[in-house]
Amino acid sequence: MFRTLLVATTALTLVAAPTIAQVARPSSDTAAVGAAARSGDAGQLRPGQTVSGELRRGDDTLSSGEYNDRWGFPVRRGQTYEVSLTSTAFDPYLLVRGPGGLREDNDDDPSARGSRDSRIRFTAPADGEVEVGATSYAPGESGAYRLTLASVAWGDAGPRTPDSPDGTLLVGRTVSGDLARGDARLESGEFIDTWTLRGRRGQQLDIRLTSTAFDPYVAISGPGGFSDFNDDDAEAGSRDSRLRVTLPDDGEYTIAATSYEAGESGSYRLVVLADAGAPGARPPAEVASGQPSSGGALEVGETVAGSLAAGDQTLDSGEYVDTWRFTGRRGQRVSVELTSSAFDAYTMLRTPSGEQFDNDDGEDGTDSRQQLVLPEDGEYEVLVTSYRPGETGSYRFSVGAGREPPRQAAVAGGARVFALMVGVSDYDGEANDLPYTDEDALKLAEELRRGGSLNDASVVLTNAEATVEGVREAFRRIAAEAGPDDMFLFFFSGHGDQRPVEVSGVEPDGKSETLALFDGDIDDVELARLFDTLDTRLSLLVIDACFSGGFARNVVDQPGVMGVFSSEEDLTSAVADKFQAGGYLSHFVRAGMTGEADGDGDRLVTAGELATYLRRQFRVEVEDVQAETQDGQRNYQNLVIDRGGVQVDDVIVRLPATTLAAAGR
């Protein structure tokens, strides 16, 4: 079904982005908390408090039809809370949404032996305000209820101790905790408790997680994208987890206590010790005698001494070579460095699947340095060798925790995407209606909001809200709020058209492209002027409409603007019925910006990664989708991407850090 425009349209006003109450709750993929809190308590909860309320006709409702009361309370990162909803009048259902991507739903309390009452226990991933939706399982249910909030004590299924009531770890002090049903979970299903530690650059730590109830797994993440993890303590030959690290920067670090297998639970002990022998300049056991090593195993963070000498193995081309191995995980940043005053250093890094990265010289001469993000989990092999055959001499070799390039590290996470998302399905009889295009805008907003990257100043306009003046006013509002640290996204899904204009260098085909809104059109020239009002770090233009590729010449011809278009400028775009989306681009952009385009697993979606992901998806899914020109010539729909002056490693969006621990799984 082609999204072919029949006519133009009529008028209405700007409406801000919909609340999460406007989205239905039929599945775990839908968003959540409803409308108005009960007036008697101003909707505020306190730990240890039980409040009474009533679901009744006239209350605000979820878009799936259930009455819904909203309550709120502040949370502290790492603290565990329990919310219970009971009623004899209806089947209770709880919705919890909060900072750091917190998202929990519950129908029946799994520990209540058949009771229909609802209970959610969670550990807050960040400071902020949590919203609780007190609602029912089925639409239209009503009646009185009781809602209770508890702050879980350290001895009860939460990771707190008397020495650490706020989840803060101190070096040298052991804390106790418990993985239990109701705790936060990793994407792969393991329960997880998070702790915070204030660290300093160069500090050497020995982190130990022990348990007799489950197979422990510990991870750490911190400033500059630093992260590391451990399953089993190889030195002790046990299932207990031990991680020795050297901290790269001053700042706050998150230590995650979890299990190797999904669903494991039970008590544990966690201790962080000062480690004078932590990875730094510590040679492995085979070189502890002071004799240079000819290869072996090392950990990320270790520096070893070695020597290329006659009798070593050689490459086919004649260079002596030592082989070192380390275990890494996808998304981990590492710095591989080989220094020698005796020979011209050369390194070859091989991934578990066999891909090879070579490096001759670093920036300052004959030493070899590689900074890279590991593409997969597993054992990596580094060949330490020389540039020329027969060179010998001593060297120092290290695999350290890498840092994000300064330009990437300066990109803040959180709600930094200021978006104007427009979707028009209902053209009020002035043009043929389109399926799903309004939902494209709503779904994109919800996914970005759920991931914690969408700024509250963002605007969603659908159908009668999507007027010409509404779009202009939204640009004015966002331009006034977004600054040079922010990213701007303009997304459109609906009809596109072409109209004749004078042939020029900008329009060599004599046609100007337009977006069909509810009451009229915005053309490529005006859209370029609107983009020119922005002062943001980067702007992304995404248009899923017929003839959309023609906007590239006008809008992308500005610094810091990247354009992604569903079709070439003289061809139509098709509805993506198989994905229940208004267009293929809409479906894939939503998935890509919320994580699927993160090809190297470093929790950053860059311009290059997004472009690569979209091209790959179009090759697979849109290869044989037919398109046509205005005069009926037939061809195939092809994606158009124009990065303009945007570089491949410019960050589109920084994904939530709450899943860093899961990245090593």
Side-chain angles (χ1 to χ4, degrees):
M1 174 179 174
F2 291 122
R3 311 199 307 177
T4 308
L5 180 68
L6 298 184
V7 212
T9 24
T10 339
L12 257 192
T13 51
L14 177 73
V15 178
T19 67
I20 45 183
Q22 293 175 277
V23 187
R25 181 195 47 77
S27 74
S28 60
D29 291 330
T30 350
V33 178
R38 294 262 57 83
S39 58
D41 198 73
Q44 288 299 307
L45 291 171
R46 296 187 303 275
Q49 180 186 32
T50 297
V51 295
S52 298
E54 183 180 2
L55 297 183
R56 57 191 174 191
R57 187 180 302 276
D59 282 352
D60 287 332
T61 62
L62 302 177
S63 57
S64 43
E66 299 84 1
Y67 300 127
N68 183 64
D69 291 345
R70 187 180 67 187
W71 299 84
F73 60 94
V75 295
R76 295 190 64 181
R77 178 181 180 180
Q79 178 65 53
T80 299
Y81 302 85
E82 183 176 283
V83 185
S84 302
L85 178 65
T86 64
S87 176
T88 58
F90 60 87
D91 187 355
Y93 196 106
L94 275 172
L95 306 161
V96 172
R97 301 295 183 268
L102 174 65
R103 178 182 175 83
E104 298 282 350
D105 294 10
N106 179 263
D107 175 18
D108 297 330
D109 181 352
S111 65
R113 299 182 181 180
S115 167
R116 297 196 310 171
D117 293 335
S118 178
R119 179 178 70 93
I120 291 176
R121 175 175 286 167
F122 67 91
T123 300
D127 294 344
E129 184 78 12
V130 161
E131 291 184 0
V132 175
T135 184
S136 61
Y137 179 76
E141 290 187 291
S142 61
Y145 64 81
R146 291 172 65 84
L147 181 68
T148 302
L149 170 65
S151 181
V152 179
W154 70 275
D156 180 20
R160 302 296 158 252
T161 72
D163 295 327
S164 183
D166 61 353
T168 301
L169 288 171
L170 299 176
V171 175
R173 182 169 296 177
T174 300
V175 295
S176 300
D178 193 57
L179 296 183
R181 187 178 300 275
D183 283 353
R185 285 178 180 257
L186 300 176
E187 293 176 355
S188 43
E190 298 82 1
F191 299 122
I192 181 172
D193 289 344
T194 55
W195 298 80
T196 58
L197 173 76
R198 191 72 188 175
R200 65 181 187 278
R201 179 183 175 89
Q203 190 173 10
Q204 298 175 333
L205 301 177
D206 185 348
I207 306 168
R208 303 185 186 192
L209 177 66
T210 62
S211 176
T212 58
F214 60 87
D215 187 354
Y217 193 106
V218 71
I220 185 173
S221 60
F226 170 76
S227 63
D228 206 348
F229 64 94
N230 177 266
D231 174 20
D232 296 331
D233 183 355
E235 295 182 27
S238 76
R239 296 198 313 168
D240 291 333
S241 182
R242 183 182 182 188
L243 184 59
R244 304 173 75 183
V245 295
T246 300
L247 303 185
D249 281 301
D250 295 344
E252 188 173 272
Y253 290 79
T254 297
I255 295 175
T258 183
S259 62
Y260 182 75
E261 297 286 351
E264 291 186 294
S265 61
S267 60
Y268 64 82
R269 292 172 66 84
L270 174 67
V271 63
V272 180
L273 303 172
D275 185 11
R282 178 176 60 85
E286 59 264 39
V287 296
S289 64
Q291 297 301 315
S293 170
S294 58
L298 77 164
E299 298 177 359
V300 175
E302 244 182 311
T303 299
V304 295
S307 177
L308 296 182
D312 284 349
Q313 290 185 327
T314 61
L315 302 175
D316 291 342
S317 46
E319 296 85 1
Y320 297 119
V321 60
D322 289 346
T323 302
W324 295 91
R325 295 177 179 84
F326 69 92
T327 299
R329 62 169 181 78
R330 181 175 179 268
Q332 187 175 9
R333 292 184 180 273
V334 297
S335 173
V336 177
E337 182 171 348
L338 175 65
T339 62
S340 176
S341 58
F343 59 86
D344 189 350
Y346 197 103
T347 56
M348 293 177 281
L349 182 144
R350 293 175 179 167
T351 70
S353 61
E355 186 178 5
Q356 183 166 307
F357 300 90
D358 291 16
N359 179 269
D360 175 18
D361 297 329
E363 297 178 357
D364 54 356
T366 59
D367 295 333
S368 174
R369 291 184 179 86
Q370 295 194 57
Q371 299 273 351
L372 69 160
V373 179
L374 301 183
E376 57 189 299
D377 295 346
E379 186 176 74
Y380 287 76
E381 185 177 76
V382 182
L383 276 60
V384 167
T385 185
S386 61
Y387 181 72
R388 297 180 182 82
E391 291 186 293
T392 61
S394 61
Y395 63 79
R396 289 179 67 81
F397 173 67
S398 64
V399 178
R403 300 186 186 182
E404 291 178 8
R407 202 153 50 88
Q408 291 181 335
V411 177
R416 292 290 186 173
V417 176
F418 286 74
L420 170 53
M421 294 156 286
V422 182
V424 186
S425 285
D426 179 7
Y427 280 90
D428 198 31
E430 299 298 320
N432 61 307
D433 292 343
L434 293 169
Y436 311 121
T437 46
D438 51 357
E439 294 179 20
D440 289 342
L442 291 168
K443 288 178 180 178
L444 178 60
E446 176 55 31
E447 290 293 333
L448 293 175
R449 185 178 292 112
R450 182 185 304 165
S453 60
L454 188 66
N455 192 276
D456 288 342
S458 299
V459 177
V460 178
L461 301 174
T462 60
N463 301 322
E465 306 162 353
T467 64
V468 172
E469 186 52 39
V471 170
R472 291 169 181 163
E473 174 60 22
F475 262 95
R476 285 193 287 269
R477 286 173 49 187
I478 292 175
E481 298 240 10
D485 292 332
D486 303 318
M487 201 277 280
F488 173 71
L489 166 66
F490 178 77
F491 170 87
F492 177 83
S493 182
H495 279 307
D497 200 7
Q498 289 182 310
R499 65 187 183 199
V501 294
E502 185 177 343
V503 174
S504 66
V506 177
E507 300 291 358
D509 60 352
K511 294 178 180 178
S512 174
E513 284 69 41
T514 62
L515 303 179
L517 299 172
F518 188 77
D519 64 342
D521 299 337
I522 284 184
D523 64 17
D524 44 13
V525 174
E526 180 174 3
L527 192 59
R529 286 199 298 265
L530 292 171
F531 265 77
D532 198 40
T533 65
L534 301 164
D535 180 23
T536 50
R537 172 181 62 83
L538 184 148
S539 295
L540 178 63
L541 170 62
V542 178
I543 300 180
D544 198 345
C546 297
F547 317 117
S548 55
F551 282 85
R553 273 196 299 267
N554 301 81
V555 184
V556 182
D557 190 21
Q558 302 181 47
V561 179
M562 174 177 172
V564 183
F565 311 100
S566 61
S567 60
E568 295 165 293
E569 68 176 307
D570 59 346
L571 288 170
T572 54
S573 294
V575 172
D577 292 292
K578 66 181 293 184
F579 296 117
Q580 293 188 319
Y584 292 94
L585 179 59
S586 299
H587 176 73
F588 293 130
V589 161
R590 183 169 70 250
M593 288 190 64
T594 52
E596 288 194 18
D598 179 22
D600 57 15
D602 66 350
R603 312 307 295 161
L604 302 174
V605 176
T606 64
E609 285 179 323
L610 183 61
T612 299
Y613 170 78
L614 293 175
R615 289 191 179 103
R616 183 184 302 119
Q617 298 303 317
F618 261 67
R619 279 197 303 271
V620 173
E621 301 290 352
V622 200
E623 181 180 15
D624 297 322
V625 173
Q626 292 190 343
E628 61 183 41
T629 64
Q630 279 188 322
D631 56 6
Q633 299 178 60
R634 302 183 71 81
N635 204 278
Y636 295 94
Q637 183 178 340
N638 291 302
L639 177 71
V640 175
I641 298 178
D642 191 339
R643 286 191 289 105
V646 174
Q647 300 184 37
V648 291
D649 65 346
D650 280 338
V651 178
I652 298 292
V653 63
R654 184 180 289 275
L655 299 172
T658 52
T659 54
L660 277 175
R665 311 311 294 261

